């Protein structure tokens, strides 16, 4: 019997490269290896039907046998599938016509091109399987929290690897402002989106999604997991502040107290995870007016009117409550609007005597351009005191006026009452 020839390094490397392939079960790997060999054999011989391919990825080796039928000398029509009697008897003297000859094939004799072809075929198929495995692992996990290790940081995204070394992406837009990452540290995020365009899966993570905050809260509050408390709505300005509306299905449980915990014990860890994002928890109610009042907490609302059709609310407060309702940088009123899904306009309460002294904006046409007056009136402010009592942000954003223009208007109006 002929001794086994030493295989060139390139073939050994081929198997080493795919032996430890991640996320692919042994049966599938064997099938892929066999199919890859058969593809190359078919290109060389025109057919792979009469070949036996035996692969052992555990040991990193393989065997290929070609099966040919013995035919009389001079009657060989297909050298791939037939062998002449004299040639067969050189292998084993007692071979006869119509018997099958199974002969070991030395794949390395096919040359460098065949080996390169095999490596490329294997690489393509293994990559395709890894992509399928990655997509299948994550496609049904959108909305779940995952932990991963920071592997690489770029300007527009952070590359994170999971416990199986799969690559996950945390885009800049999904990072909490002022988040700082170090290579090798473990971070948590929610699986935000899973795509698979052209069999190229992308797992997008998020730390800014309201779902991330929801999952963190669910992990900290047993009553939520037990179904006793429900998180109805969440509004976030990532890294700054969030408002959460919760509801209890058990009258004995205070949902706000349960979520906050004793001395804030249940939210402290979440606040740290979210880069010191302040969290307000309020009781949910289906009563829109009451919900808007609670959403504007800590401000105390004196009265309000709502336009359900256009989802707008006009809220009136005492002068000292206005700044609380608006919040620093307009943050409180923005979150309240996000939470309630109502556009909220805040007004300072005006006494009857003050209202009697009010002046319509049209009377200032000699000092303020008419287009500016029209822009302000278009958002429902018709009088001087209505403009003076309205938040400055309302004039810049809703009336779409430059800050300098707003300051000039306010200066003219204040002068009238001084």
């Amino acid at each position: 019997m002929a001794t086994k020839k030493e295989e060139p390094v390139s073939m050994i490397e081929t198997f080493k490269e795919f032996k430890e392939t991640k996320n692919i079960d042994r049966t599938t790997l064997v099938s892929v290896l066999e199919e890859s060999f058969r593809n190359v054999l078919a290109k060389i011989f025109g057919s792979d039907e009469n070949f036996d391919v035996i692969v052992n990825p555990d040991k990193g080796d393989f065997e290929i046998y070609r099966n040919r039928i013995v035919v009389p000398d001079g009657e060989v029509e297909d050298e791939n599938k037939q062998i002449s009697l004299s040639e067969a008897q050189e292998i084993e003297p007692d071979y006869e016509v119509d018997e099958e000859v199974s002969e070991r094939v030395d794949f390395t004799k096919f040359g460098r091109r065949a080996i390169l072809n095999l490596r490329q075929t294997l690489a393509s198929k293994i990559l395709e399987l890894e992509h399928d495995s990655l997509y299948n692992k994550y496609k049904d996990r959108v909305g779940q929290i995952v932990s991963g290790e920071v592997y690489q940081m770029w300007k527009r995204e952070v590359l994170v690897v999971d416990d199986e070394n799969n690559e996950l992406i945390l885009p800049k837009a999904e990072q909490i402002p002022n988040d700082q990452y170090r290579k090798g540290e473990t971070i948590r995020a929610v699986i935000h989106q899973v795509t698979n365009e052209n069999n190229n899966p992308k797992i997008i993570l998020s730390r800014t999604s309201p779902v991330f905050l929801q999952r963190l809260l669910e992990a900290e509050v047993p009553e939520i997991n037990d179904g006793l408390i429900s998180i109805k709505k969440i509004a976030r300005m990532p890294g700054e502040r969030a408002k959460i509306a919760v509801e209890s299905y058990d009258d004995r449980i205070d949902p706000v107290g349960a979520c906050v915990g004793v001395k804030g014990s249940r939210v402290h860890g979440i606040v740290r995870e979210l880069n010191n994002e302040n969290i307000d928890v309020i009781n949910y109610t289906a009563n829109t007016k009451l919900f808007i009042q609670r959403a504007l907490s800590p401000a105390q609302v004196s009265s309000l009117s709502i336009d359900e059709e256009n989802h707008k609310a006009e809220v009136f407060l005492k002068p000292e409550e206005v700044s609380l309702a608006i919040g620093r940088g307009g943050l409180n009123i923005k979150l309240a609007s996000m939470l309630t899904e109502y556009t909220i306009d805040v007004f300072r309460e005006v006494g009857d005597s003050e209202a009697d002294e009010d002046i319509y904006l049209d009377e200032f046409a000699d000092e303020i351009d008419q287009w500016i007056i029209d822009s302000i009136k278009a958002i429902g402010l018709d009088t001087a005191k209505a403009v003076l009592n309205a938040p400055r942000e309302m004039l810049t954003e809703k009336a779409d006026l430059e800050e300098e223009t707003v300051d000039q208007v306010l200066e003219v109006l204040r002068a009238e009452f001084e």
Side-chain angles (χ1 to χ4, degrees), residues 400-418:
D400 197 22
L401 297 174
E402 297 289 337
E403 291 188 3
E404 185 179 347
T405 302
V406 171
D407 290 339
Q408 290 172 354
V409 169
L410 294 176
E411 186 178 345
V412 170
L413 299 182
R414 288 195 194 99
E416 184 65 28
F417 296 100
E418 289 177 353

Side-chain angles (χ1 to χ4, degrees), residues 29 53 56 111 145 150 205 237 255 273 311 326 349 414:
L29 184 59
V53 179
N56 187 344
I145 285 183
V150 175
L205 305 180
M237 299 295 284
E273 175 73 54
H311 272 234
I326 296 170
E349 284 186 317
R414 288 195 194 99

Side-chain angles (χ1 to χ4, degrees), residues 176-180 275:
I176 296 173
N178 300 322
D179 262 351
Q180 294 184 345
N275 208 353

Side-chain angles (χ1 to χ4, degrees), residues 384-399:
K385 287 192 175 178
V387 175
L388 290 172
N389 291 333
R392 191 169 179 274
E393 292 85 353
M394 185 176 175
L395 297 171
T396 55
E397 294 178 10
K398 294 192 175 183

Side-chain angles (χ1 to χ4, degrees), residues 37-50:
F37 273 111
R38 288 191 175 279
N39 284 343
V40 177
L41 290 170
K43 288 180 181 179
I44 296 172
F45 295 101
S47 172
D48 65 300
E49 294 175 3
N50 57 312

